[in-house]
Amino acid sequence: DQQVKQNSPSLSVQEGRISILNCDYTNSMFDYFLWYKKYPAEGPTFLISISSIKDKNEDGRFTVFLNKSAKHLSLHIVPSQPGDSAVYFCRGGDSSYKLIFGSGTRLLVRP
Amino acid sequence: NAGVTQTPKFQVLKTGQSMTLQCAQDMNHEYMSWYRQDPGMGLRLIHYSVGAGITDQGEVPNGYNVSRSTTEDFPLRLLSAAPSQTSVYFCASSSGLAGGTDTQYFGPGTRLTVL
């Protein structure tokens, strides 16, 4: 039972435009959501998070939106830069320590 | 402060061989975990530990063993390697204070090929 789904395996956008990465979840107990970024040949690194008591969290060019009724969150990158090209993973969090990630979305930002 | 370290970086095994992937962290984190990354499959949780002496199974535990004798180290053992275990393996740690809301810190990964 996959609790977190990223249905778009890849996304290609032009530099300067907006990138929108999506994540759906099924576990109603999730009260926190995190996005990680992974470059080739490196480990994932934390990017941004959001608590379930909020519907938006912004950090510079990165904004995460949470729609609890739809069990959906999205990561917006504005403006997109070539250095943002990476694989992005989302994860839900609750009191459990069984930390499950989505399958990832590979973002390519074209110069 | 080295963070999370993994050794080796690369390894080639023959089917049936055994080996141990090493993971260590110097952040005094209670929670440690192992993931494997395969194309199109994302990061899949193999095993995790919430503290020394405590381990539990993740999504894909078959063929792997773990133990946690110290806070710092969390080795992953492949008992009898199979080609299906060809993957990139990542170790991660977090403070363990807040369950799934903790930020995890990942090691650089071990690329394993089983022939």
Side-chain angles (χ1 to χ4, degrees), chain B residues 43-65:
Chain B
L43 293 165
R44 292 187 291 171
L45 181 65
I46 304 172
H47 285 285
Y48 63 98
S49 169
V50 298
I54 307 170
T55 63
D56 207 344
Q57 296 182 349
E59 302 172 273
V60 288
N62 292 341
Y64 306 95
N65 269 5

Side-chain angles (χ1 to χ4, degrees), chain B residues 18-59:
Chain B
S18 63
M19 80 158 294
T20 299
L21 279 64
Q22 301 291 345
C23 174
Q25 52 89 12
D26 61 0
M27 297 174 281
N28 201 32
H29 283 170
E30 291 294 329
Y31 181 87
M32 296 184 74
S33 53
W34 277 101
Y35 293 87
R36 58 179 287 175
Q37 185 193 13
D38 304 296
M41 301 297 291
L43 293 165
R44 292 187 291 171
L45 181 65
I46 304 172
H47 285 285
Y48 63 98
S49 169
V50 298
I54 307 170
T55 63
D56 207 344
Q57 296 182 349
E59 302 172 273

Side-chain angles (χ1 to χ4, degrees), chain B residues 52-104:
Chain B
I54 307 170
T55 63
D56 207 344
Q57 296 182 349
E59 302 172 273
V60 288
N62 292 341
Y64 306 95
N65 269 5
V66 292
S67 59
R68 184 100 178 267
S69 56
T70 68
T71 299
E72 295 78 20
D73 302 296
F74 191 43
L76 178 71
R77 281 181 284 277
L78 280 70
L79 307 173
S80 176
S84 60
Q85 294 179 303
T86 294
S87 188
V88 183
Y89 291 84
F90 292 99
C91 179
S93 75
S94 60
S95 67
L97 297 175
T101 65
D102 275 341
T103 298
Q104 291 169 281

Side-chain angles (χ1 to χ4, degrees), chain A residues 36 38 43 91 94 96-97 99, chain B residues 31 35 37 96 100 102 104 107:
Chain A
Y36 285 75
K38 185 187 178 305
R91 171 169 81 71
D94 55 16
S96 162
Y97 286 94
L99 307 182
Chain B
Y31 181 87
Y35 293 87
Q37 185 193 13
D102 275 341
Q104 291 169 281

Side-chain angles (χ1 to χ4, degrees), chain A residues 12-40:
Chain A
S12 179
V13 301
Q14 195 75 35
E15 180 179 4
R17 307 295 288 267
I18 184 171
S19 296
I20 300 176
L21 293 84
N22 296 303
C23 182
D24 296 300
Y25 63 95
T26 57
N27 188 343
S28 308
M29 300 303 292
F30 284 155
D31 54 11
Y32 207 76
F33 300 89
L34 304 93
W35 285 92
Y36 285 75
K37 179 178 181 179
K38 185 187 178 305
Y39 291 118

